[in-house]
Amino acid sequence: MEKYSKRLSLLGAILILPYLILLIPPARNVPDETGKENPFEWNRDRHWAYLENAFKAAKKVSCQGLNPEILRQSKALLSIVEDLENGPLPPESPVFKRIEERLFTIAPSIAACPKYFPFYHRVLNTLRTSVKKQSEAWDMDSALAKETTYRLLYGSRASIEEIILQSEDDDIPNLIKAVNEPSRCPSTEVLMAQVHSGDILVSRGGAATSALIARGSDYPGNFSHVALVHVDEATNKPSIIEAHIERGVAVSSLHEYLEDKKLRVMILRMKADHPSLTDNPLLPHVAATAALEEARSRHIPYDFSMDYKEHSALFCSEVASAAYAKYGVRLWAGISHISAQGLRQWLSDFGVKHFITQEPSDLEYDPQLQVVAEWRNLEALYQDHMDNAIIDVMLEEANEGKTLSYNYLMLPIARLMKGYSLLLNLSGKVGPIPEGMSAAAALKNAAFTDRHARIKEELQKKARIFLEESGYRPPYWELVRMAKDVIAA
């Protein structure tokens, strides 16, 4: 019996020892301090409360009653926007501050009477085109140019989306066209919009990490993914070149691209008067063709480090920027910065090493590109805003020192799964843990996603109560406030 007991003890030690070895935590990456700037903050909570009160007051008035004030404010806004065509202005010009104030001031009345939305959207389209034209002469890597562009273009987007969220489903179409930028490249129709070869699709996924990518920047945005379109000149068949965390760079059909959950999609196109297109109008198609051929000729792993300068591995933004860089076009005229230390630490835990990089949302502000159209439906947009609000509050925690936790006892199992994934990767297959992601990062990702889901479940309950009591959906600042309450509880 004693001999048998010793054998069992020996067997137990043999089994436990590898488990204990696999329990040894990995060394934590500490992001460096280089390239830090000051993250943008609106700091206008009192103004948002004023706008919400203005909206509640406007809801009590008929559209006919609102008509004179809407026309007066619209005329004043349009007049200032049209003045941007009179000549170049520096980014510090007081004109831009006046425009910002007016585009926000009129928004509550438009939200209360969405029939004026098409006109308001046309004015803001003109504003976006004019600001981009002005910014062609600015140093887009300067903080002043970045902030002016962001305040006007993201501010316009924020006001439009609050209006959409207060509308009924059929008030505003899912596809909203912006500028019909001409192109000589092959084209096809996608969801009632004309898409040309070389166009860039900027989208937002439905995962919690998608919201983190969108908000995790010095200038928080609404997009988490970039893809490049190729249209075959003979068949007009579109192919989508994109980088997936799970499998690296892949070529997707349009159906596959749309099947992967998207909360919104925006089309960006190079301006027809770009100097590179003057020399070669088909340059976008040439760049997309080269990217397509490379994606089909070799396995390109996903670049978790987000190094946009080295192209052996590619992250999603880099798929587009690397394709155009080969032909002398530098996209992301204003490069992205990730400066908040807590955010840098969280992203570092997921494998990011470069915090001066190319964020999907920032591509919208590139003066070389024009926004052609955007798809966003009411329910998906509402989910987008909820996810953003939660992430904004979670990132406040990160910057106060909260770290990403995970189930430590699961680390040995995750490491075994990682080994299995590596074997699958050697044969060209996708494993349970993505190529390039560590076992610890995978566990942190799972824990982060689970916590986000639990917060969102409670936030949805609070949002439903708010809607029942107030008669309108909570605007973004209310979602942030409620998310803080959920996390505090």
Side-chain angles (χ1 to χ4, degrees), residues 33-89:
E33 296 289 322
T34 59
K36 294 182 72 173
E37 296 188 351
N38 293 317
F40 176 83
E41 292 183 7
W42 284 100
N43 291 324
R44 303 201 67 185
D45 290 352
R46 293 171 69 179
H47 188 60
W48 309 146
Y50 163 78
L51 293 177
E52 187 174 353
N53 288 329
F55 170 64
K56 287 189 282 189
K59 279 175 65 68
K60 297 176 182 178
V61 183
S62 67
C63 275
Q64 186 175 356
L66 290 171
N67 184 61
E69 181 64 11
I70 289 176
L71 292 178
R72 184 188 68 79
Q73 291 188 19
S74 298
K75 185 177 179 180
L77 175 60
L78 183 59
S79 175
I80 304 177
V81 170
E82 288 178 339
D83 284 346
L84 296 180
E85 298 295 322
N86 293 336
L89 295 169

Side-chain angles (χ1 to χ4, degrees), residues 102-123:
R102 287 196 176 276
L103 75 87
F104 283 136
T105 301
I106 190 176
S109 298
I110 304 292
C113 191
K115 75 174 187 177
Y116 291 101
F117 177 83
F119 172 75
Y120 182 69
H121 189 262
R122 284 197 298 273
V123 173

Side-chain angles (χ1 to χ4, degrees), residues 296-312:
R296 286 175 170 168
S297 66
R298 71 178 179 98
H299 170 61
I300 308 173
Y302 189 87
D303 181 11
F304 283 92
S305 74
M306 293 178 64
D307 182 357
Y308 71 96
K309 295 179 180 178
E310 201 284 318
H311 305 319
S312 60

Side-chain angles (χ1 to χ4, degrees), residues 12-25:
I14 292 171
L15 292 175
I16 290 172
L17 183 60
Y19 180 81
L20 293 176
I21 292 173
L22 291 172
L23 265 179
I24 298 172

Side-chain angles (χ1 to χ4, degrees), residues 138-150:
W138 299 349
D139 174 10
M140 290 304 292
D141 281 319
S142 73
L144 189 57
K146 284 182 179 180
E147 180 166 330
T148 299
T149 305
Y150 181 78

Side-chain angles (χ1 to χ4, degrees), residues 152-415:
L152 292 171
L153 301 192
Y154 182 85
S156 299
R157 168 177 293 284
S159 65
I160 283 171
E161 293 185 356
E162 290 299 340
I163 292 168
I164 292 173
L165 288 174
Q166 301 309 331
S167 70
E168 298 301 325
D169 285 338
D170 55 354
D171 281 343
I172 298 170
N174 291 342
L175 172 65
I176 301 177
K177 296 183 179 180
V179 177
N180 185 23
E181 189 69 18
S183 172
R184 299 261 298 273
C185 298
S187 66
T188 191
E189 188 173 279
V190 176
L191 299 179
M192 300 177 65
Q194 201 73 11
V195 176
H196 289 261
S197 196
D199 283 0
I200 300 168
L201 302 181
V202 189
S203 63
R204 171 64 176 274
T209 47
S210 296
L212 178 61
I213 293 168
R215 306 304 290 174
S217 171
D218 284 3
Y219 293 88
N222 294 93
F223 298 94
S224 61
H225 188 61
V226 172
L228 185 63
V229 179
H230 176 271
V231 180
D232 187 277
E233 60 265 38
T235 65
N236 295 112
K237 179 182 176 181
S239 298
I240 314 298
I241 309 131
E242 54 185 336
H244 292 278
I245 287 175
E246 299 81 5
R247 54 196 173 108
V249 176
V251 179
S252 306
S253 68
L254 179 62
H255 175 75
E256 289 168 334
Y257 174 79
L258 295 174
E259 278 291 297
D260 191 18
K261 187 175 182 181
K262 302 283 191 301
L263 299 182
R264 60 168 84 214
V265 181
M266 176 173 65
I267 306 172
L268 291 174
R269 182 174 302 152
M270 278 194 71
K271 289 182 176 179
D273 62 359
H274 191 284
S276 297
L277 268 64
T278 303
D279 296 335
N280 180 9
L282 294 178
L283 184 147
H285 177 56
V286 173
T289 301
L292 179 70
E293 291 172 351
E294 184 177 14
R296 286 175 170 168
S297 66
R298 71 178 179 98
H299 170 61
I300 308 173
Y302 189 87
D303 181 11
F304 283 92
S305 74
M306 293 178 64
D307 182 357
Y308 71 96
K309 295 179 180 178
E310 201 284 318
H311 305 319
S312 60
L314 301 175
F315 63 102
C316 68
S317 299
E318 200 180 354
V319 169
S321 66
Y324 274 96
K326 290 178 181 177
Y327 300 92
V329 177
R330 176 205 160 189
L331 297 180
W332 277 267
I335 203 67
S336 308
H337 284 247
I338 303 170
S339 300
Q341 188 59 25
L343 169 60
R344 287 161 78 102
Q345 184 60 69
W346 279 21
L347 293 176
S348 180
D349 288 346
F350 288 138
V352 176
K353 296 178 181 177
H354 297 268
F355 302 97
I356 300 175
T357 187
Q358 296 171 335
E359 291 274 20
S361 291
D362 292 341
L363 189 58
E364 180 180 2
Y365 316 129
D366 191 327
Q368 303 168 101
L369 302 171
Q370 197 68 270
V371 177
V372 176
E374 186 170 349
W375 295 273
R376 50 191 164 192
N377 68 55
L378 185 65
E379 185 54 37
L381 183 59
Y382 196 31
Q383 296 307 310
D384 171 295
H385 279 219
M386 280 196 178
D387 290 342
N388 286 354
I390 295 167
I391 293 297
D392 282 357
V393 179
M394 291 176 77
L395 289 179
E396 288 182 13
E397 291 185 307
N399 293 324
E400 291 168 0
K402 185 177 180 63
T403 58
L404 289 172
S405 60
Y406 64 98
N407 189 341
Y408 173 68
L409 296 177
M410 289 295 293
L411 185 56
I413 296 172
R415 282 173 163 162

